[in-house]
């Protein structure tokens, strides 16, 4: 394995431009995916694999690791519900507090799909009257 030539980027690899800038990521990153059934299914699959051990099956922060780690905040809190998709994307890429980065485990598309699935979870537990038809 050779070290890459300085100043080059491997195919398919880009530096994350918002390293250490969660607010800027929140303002500038926009989810390019539409919440179609196949995208939500991908988001659910990846959420259940990477996120649910700590955040719980429904995102309520009810850690299923039997007290091995502190429970994370609920994804249904007003704070997280008010975060932009870009801000959540930033947390997935860089991690936060004891949550590690999942940048190397998840593709860009998988991260955005997870965010759409999180939004579906949030809507399911925080529905408004206009959501019921």
């Amino acid at each position: 394995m050779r070290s890459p030539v300085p100043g080059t980027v491997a195919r398919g690899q880009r530096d994350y431009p918002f390293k250490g800038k969660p607010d800027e990521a929140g303002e500038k990153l926009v989810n390019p995916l539409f919440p179609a059934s196949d995208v939500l299914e991908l988001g659910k699959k990846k959420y259940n694999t990477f996120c649910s051990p700590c955040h719980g099956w429904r995102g309520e922060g009810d850690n299923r690791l039997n007290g091995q780690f502190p429970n994370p905040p609920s994804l249904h809190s007003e704070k997280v519900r008010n975060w932009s998709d870009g801000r959540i994307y930033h947390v997935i890429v860089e991690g936060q507090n004891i949550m590690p980065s999942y940048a190397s485990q998840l593709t860009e598309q998988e991260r955005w799909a997870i965010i759409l699935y999180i939004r579906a979870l949030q809507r399911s537990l925080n529905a408004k009257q206009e959501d019921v038809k």
Side-chain angles (χ1 to χ4, degrees):
M1 297 294 286
R2 293 184 186 181
S3 297
V5 175
T8 63
V9 178
R11 284 187 188 152
Q13 301 294 314
R14 293 185 300 202
D15 285 337
Y16 180 63
F18 304 106
K19 188 162 184 65
K21 302 174 187 174
D23 294 331
E24 190 175 343
E27 292 171 14
K28 295 186 177 178
L29 291 175
V30 177
N31 196 333
L33 301 181
F34 182 77
S37 60
D38 60 326
V39 173
L40 289 171
E41 190 58 40
L42 173 64
K44 179 180 180 179
K45 178 181 175 188
K46 295 301 177 177
Y47 175 90
N48 286 344
T49 300
F50 293 99
C51 310
S52 72
C54 293
H55 288 284
W57 296 113
R58 295 177 299 202
E60 296 175 296
D62 52 348
N63 179 324
R64 44 187 191 92
L65 296 176
N66 299 321
Q68 295 175 28
F69 298 99
N71 284 358
S74 169
L75 299 175
H76 301 283
S77 70
E78 188 173 340
K79 176 183 173 181
V80 178
R81 283 194 333 259
N82 289 329
W83 277 356
S84 68
D85 288 357
R87 180 67 175 85
I88 296 172
Y89 185 92
H90 179 81
V91 172
I92 295 170
V93 171
E94 288 212 331
Q96 178 174 283
N97 300 324
I98 67 167
M99 178 181 155
S101 165
Y102 287 97
S104 64
Q105 292 96 334
L106 296 165
T107 67
E108 187 173 337
Q109 180 179 1
E110 291 168 340
R111 295 175 209 148
W112 288 120
I114 287 171
I115 293 165
L116 288 174
Y117 182 69
I118 288 170
R119 295 302 190 198
L121 288 174
Q122 289 172 333
R123 193 165 185 174
S124 71
L125 290 181
N126 298 285
K128 298 179 179 130
Q129 184 61 40
E130 58 266 17
D131 293 332
V132 180
K133 294 184 181 192

